[in-house]
Every structure is written in structure tokens, then in C-alpha cells.
Amino acid sequence: MIADTLKTLQIEKKSPGASTGKEWFGHGEEISSWSPVDGALIGAVSTSAKEDYEAVVKKAQSAFAEWRTWPAPKRGEVVRQIGEALRAKKEALGKLVSYEMGKSLQEGYGEVQEMIDICDFAVGLSRQLHGLTMHSERPGHRMYEQYHPLGIVGIISAFNFPVAVWSWNTMLAWVCGDVCIWKPSEKTPLCAVACQHIVAEVFEKNQVPEGVSGLVIGNRETGEWLSQDIRIPLVSATGSTRMGKAVGAAVGARLGRALLELGGNNAIIISKDADLDIAVLGSVFGAVGTAGQRCTTTRRLIIHESIYDQIKARLTSAYAQLSIGDPLDQKNHVGPLIDRSAVDAYLAAIEKCKAEGGKFVVEGGVLEGKGYESGCYVKPCIAEAKPGYSIVQHETFAPILYLLKYSTVDEAIAIQNGVPQGLSSSIMTLNLREAEQFLSASGSDCGIANVNIGTSGAEIGGAFGGEKETGGGRESGSDAWKVYMRRQTNTINYSTQLPLAQGIRFDL
């Protein structure tokens, strides 16, 4: 099945990892892509050497000079066709995402659907890149603001959403008139190669200048090239807070723009007035979906003391029913972690929690035996903890859920906000006052705040991003398109005089 999938997506056993569209090359070291599903070698990619990177950037500069002159609706039509191409390849690309990354097959299909949805959003957006008009204080003058393409957008994406986050950035950037250079995670390189092939076919049909879609596969050094390059006015980076701080510092040092989507330490407050069926379902999916490897994964449950034991019992029962195994088998709820390093981090977090006094009500551990040969399958676990534990303040990219107790809604919100990260948050309540307080200025300090749904599953229509150590960036929907453009204020004098602003007189 995987062999047919790779053939459909034009992926060879050894692929070059740098591309300007039609042209493929790569003179760097070879990296292998091993599936966490079964430990098998999927393929290899030759990474981008510095000479490859330079070739991609120069081609992007040349392409931008032409691409920015295309009318935005015409650029949108190209993106519409990319959406159609993704629809045709949804099954194959979804399977590759599942197999190379390890998420469930349904989540793999869902990720490709997000790509299709953002294409649809971007097509409509291509006719709505609006500015403002305003009245001038000077007679016979008109003022307005407009937005122009920014230039080259560098995109650094993470392994957990190997294609969707790239598309959130790229489709918007393209309709805005920018060109893009993508540095995907070296843990999921084949997903990026597949996307580049899909886009290249559409671009060739539409005579899009080569270089509008650039690809540079590599390690941390490749990301540093993007971050430090003054030719790239915007770098969008998704990943850990540690990585984001390095990118932000490098881009800031040259006064460029950084769009940062970093770590999350997301919590659900479960009120005594909650619908407990919804609360438990939202909590379980939020905690174990993608094996806890989402930036929006639920990592903390803040539960009212009057229902704490009841929720704990229901969660324990629900976790006992989880099926862990091959994510391409749709009967399984939980797949593997991305690699052995992630497993080590998971085990270290469990030991840290126990050392701080945490009590596990659902024990963790690594699964062994038939079907678990890759060594990347772990048990989702639940620990009773306290907000002040250092491990609770930390984001562990694995299915570990911490239970915390509260007595008043003010206390619950304080616990929710009392971590360095600020991405996603939720409250489960049927109490209107609690819901409104949670959404108020004195409520959740996160970029995403939900009522009666979990912390994961953001829709592309809303701007996605968070505050504090999550980075402050916004991408995908709403008016996130503005970050990919430069803003310009224009004043036109259509009179026969030259009155100066603020009534200043300058007689000659």
C-alpha cells in the first residue's frame, strides 16, 4: 500500500531535497525517513547544501519580480487549482502523512483537508486584499492605505503537522503576491517532497514563474540560513519555544519580521456546571489525539473539587478503552510518537512528575511486542499533580495529562494562566457567567479560548496563534494575511495648491 502511495506522489527511494519548482537538486548529506509506525525505511532525501540554498533564493528573487505583478485574483485562480489537485491526491497524501509522521489515518486525511480548506479561503481572499480610505486635513487631497506583496517568505515547519501548517502560510502568501521558501522538518521530508511535486504540476500548467515555490530540506543550519538572510523579509517558524527564541533573535537582529507559532501548555477547566459527557470526550481527544503531539494538545485538566473524583474515574475508564497501534488501521485511537528521542522525553517527564510528588492514576510506559517493533508506541497516562510542579509548567510533546483541582473560577483561571505558554484554552461549563468571565479581559490569556469544546481542532477561518512563549504570531484565517504584506499610506494632491499639514506656512 505504501509503495503505491509513494508512486502516486512521485516519490522515489532517493529524492533530491532542494527545488525551485521544475528543477530538483541537492548536494548536501543524505537523510533517511524512517516510519515510526513500523520502523521501516520509507526513503532518503539529499539535503540542501549552501550552494543549493543560494540557488533557491536567487530563483525566488527573480520569480517575485514577476509574480507580484500578477493580479491577485489570477494568483487566486492558481491556488484554486492547487486545492483541486490536493483533492485528487487527498487519499495518497493523507496516507503518507500518517505513515511518515505516525498520526492516525483519519487525522492524516484531516490534515490534507485543512490544506484544501485554506486553498478555498485564500481564493476568496484574493479578491479582498483591501485597504482603507480616510479624509485629509488638507483641501483637495485624498488619503488611503494599501497593501503590497512583501517579498520572499521563509517557512520553517514542524513534524507534527508536516503539510497543513506550510499550506496555512503559503496559500495566503501566494495570493498576497509573495514567493515562498519552505524548510520542512527533517523528520518528515517526504511529505514536503510530495507537496512540491503537486504544486509544480499546477504551476507548470499556469506558467507560474519558477521559484515561486522553493524547497530546502535540511537540519537546524538550514533554518539558520533563512533566519539570518536579509533577502527574506518574513520568516514564519513553527516549533518549540527554544527554536522560536533563536529564530526571533536572528530575524530581529536584522530588523526582519518573524511570525512565531511555538509551544503550548493547554488546559481545560471543567466546572461543576459542565456537561460531563462533553467534558470527558473533549478532554480525552485533546489529550491523546496525535499521541499528544499537537501544539494544541490538552496537557492540564483543571477540575472543580466537587466533581474531581467523578471526572478522574470517567477518564480512567475511557483510557482503558483506548486502542494503541498502527495508525493506518482506523480502529486504533493512538499511534506512535515520532521517534525514540520523543519516547525518551516522555519517560523523563514521567520520572520528573513522580519525583515532584505526582501520583499516576493511569500508568505510562513503552509498549513492546508484535506491532510495536518501532519502539515508538507509548501508553497515554494521567497524573494527579499540582500547578507549581516544574514539569506541569513544561510542554512535553507526548500523551501525559495532569489533573489539577480548584475551588473557585478565579482560582481556575489563575491556574490556567499560570504557565509560560499561552496558545489554547477551554472551559467546560453551562454557567453563562463563568463562560463570559473566561472570555473576558480578566479571563484566559491565551490566543485561543473556547467554551464547551476542547483545546485542539482550530478552524482555518479564525486566526491561529498564541501569546507569551507561544510567540504572538497569527496565521491562517481572519486578517492574518496582513502579516504577509507591506502597508503603504498614500496621499494624492489633486488641487492647484500645496497646503502643508498642520497649517504650516512656508512662503517662498
Side-chain angles (χ1 to χ4, degrees), residues 117-156:
D117 292 344
I118 199 66
C119 286
D120 291 347
F121 180 89
V123 173
L125 180 64
S126 68
R127 295 181 182 271
Q128 299 180 69
L129 301 175
H130 54 79
L132 295 171
T133 61
M134 62 281 292
H135 291 281
S136 172
E137 67 183 47
R138 291 169 285 188
H141 286 57
R142 180 167 68 89
M143 293 179 64
Y144 67 95
E145 292 180 346
Q146 61 179 332
Y147 288 83
H148 292 303
L150 189 60
I152 303 175
V153 175
I155 300 167
I156 301 172

Side-chain angles (χ1 to χ4, degrees), residues 5-6 9-12 15 24 33 36 42-45 86 89 92-103 108 111-112 115 157-164 166-167 182-199 215 217 338:
T5 297
L6 297 177
L9 297 171
Q10 303 179 55
I11 295 175
E12 302 174 354
S15 301
W24 289 80
S33 177
I42 311 173
V45 177
L86 288 168
K89 299 285 179 68
L93 185 55
K95 285 180 180 178
L96 178 61
V97 168
S98 177
Y99 189 61
E100 188 173 35
M101 185 268 150
K103 63 176 59 177
E111 183 166 347
V112 181
M115 302 175 75
S157 63
F159 73 85
N160 60 329
F161 281 86
V163 294
W166 164 75
S167 72
W182 181 19
K183 189 271 174 196
S185 170
E186 61 270 32
K187 296 181 180 182
T188 51
L190 298 181
C191 287
V193 171
C195 289
Q196 185 75 345
H197 280 303
I198 291 169
V199 167
L215 177 66
I217 293 175
I338 185 65

